[in-house]
Structures are given as structure tokens and as C-alpha cells.
Amino acid sequence: GVVEMAMRSFQKLLEGYEKCLVIDLQKNRKDMLFVNIFAVLIAVAMAVPMHFYIPFSTFFMGLENLGAYLIRMFVLLAMMFAYLFLHELVHGAAMKLCGTKKVRYGFCGMYAYAGSEDYYSRGAYIFIALAPVVLFLAVFAVANLLVPLSWFWTIYLLQIINVSGAAGDIYVTCRFLRMPKDILIKDVGTSMEAYQK
């Protein structure tokens, strides 16, 4: 049915489809620059108003000595590192939910990625692209409500990384939403290809 077609992957390109668009955020400098500026704007838009609500100085609360400060910085860096892996694992899990048999993970320059050789319906691709940002938006929001004030910014910095780091996912989602509903999208991890009837 229509819903099934809207949320699935295909191992082979459907008959009558031809490549109509390639988005490569590493090779296309204009797209890369736009996404990076977009990410910075998201980070500023999240950090500045929150600073007036809960001052950033609370990050340093309870840090009487260098040891306590180093522990907090180490925890933040460890959580950032873990988040990067979990973000890609969520992309991979979303691919599996859409029927993908084999997901590839890797690093390319500054970026980690999850990719596959499958072709995704537009709905499936958008679900895959936005799954990590939506999931971690909820996780970090709940964590922020539960941690002491002195740990608020440690978690909120992860939230900023989550949302601003999804600038590329948000950008390609907007591009694909402006295309016909029946397009198919191949995401090899470092670039996306759209196919149209």
C-alpha cells in the first residue's frame, strides 16, 4: 500500500527511475558552507537565550578545585564522543526498521556516517535522517530536567551539539521535501542521490 511504499527501502533501483540530484556536503563547497553557517546559527539561537534563563556560569558551580573541573570536562568530552557513535547507530537502526539488510558505518574527514546501498522512499529517508535528532532532543530534554543546576549546561551543550550537528540532516530533508513524493533516495553515507520516475 501507500504507507508501505512511504516507509521502505529497495535493494534495487525501481524500473523507470533516473538520477536527478546529487547532494555531496563534502565536495559541494556552497552546500557545505550553507550547512556550516546554519549549524552555527542554530547553536547561537539555542545558547544565547538559554544563557539569560540559566547563566552559563552555572557550568562552573561546585568546581572548587582543578580536579573537579577536569572531571567535568572529561565527562563532557566522553559524552560527546559517545553521542557521535550513538547518533550514527540510531541512523543505522532507522535504516534497519525500513528494511535495510546491511548498514555501513565509517568516518570521512570530520564526519562519521551510516550508509547503505539501498534506495529509500522519501518518507523512509526523512525518518532515517531525523531519527537521531528527534530521539536525543527528547533524551537530553528529560536529562536536563533531572540533573542538578550545576550539570545543566553539561547536558545542554550536548543538546546544542545534537541539534546544530543535525544541520545537514535538516538541510537535505528540506531539499527532498520540495521534490515529488515518489522519489527514491540512496544514501551512501558521504553523499545522497535522488532518483525520479
Side-chain angles (χ1 to χ4, degrees), residues 35-153:
V35 167
N36 286 331
I37 290 169
F38 183 40
V40 170
L41 291 174
I42 290 171
V44 170
M46 290 178 72
V48 173
M50 188 56 78
H51 167 69
F52 288 105
Y53 182 61
I54 297 174
F56 186 70
S57 57
T58 58
F59 179 79
F60 303 100
M61 279 171 65
L63 302 178
E64 291 84 19
N65 56 51
L66 182 64
Y69 176 76
L70 289 175
I71 287 169
R72 185 161 304 170
M73 290 311 293
F74 175 77
V75 168
L76 177 60
L77 288 171
M79 287 167 77
M80 283 165 61
F81 197 67
Y83 163 76
L84 292 175
F85 279 99
L86 291 170
H87 179 101
E88 296 310 324
L89 285 174
V90 172
H91 277 311
M95 287 176 177
K96 292 268 190 189
L97 284 172
C98 292
T100 297
K101 301 276 188 289
K102 192 176 177 195
V103 178
R104 281 192 333 273
Y105 299 95
F107 275 95
C108 190
M110 288 167 44
Y111 302 100
Y113 67 84
S116 87
E117 292 299 316
D118 285 12
Y119 299 86
Y120 297 96
S121 63
R122 191 178 74 167
Y125 183 79
I126 291 168
F127 167 69
I128 292 162
L130 299 182
V133 68
V134 172
L135 175 68
F136 288 108
L137 193 70
V139 169
F140 294 142
V142 170
N144 262 141
L145 293 172
L146 299 176
V147 296
L149 187 63
S150 58
W151 281 89
F152 177 88
W153 273 95

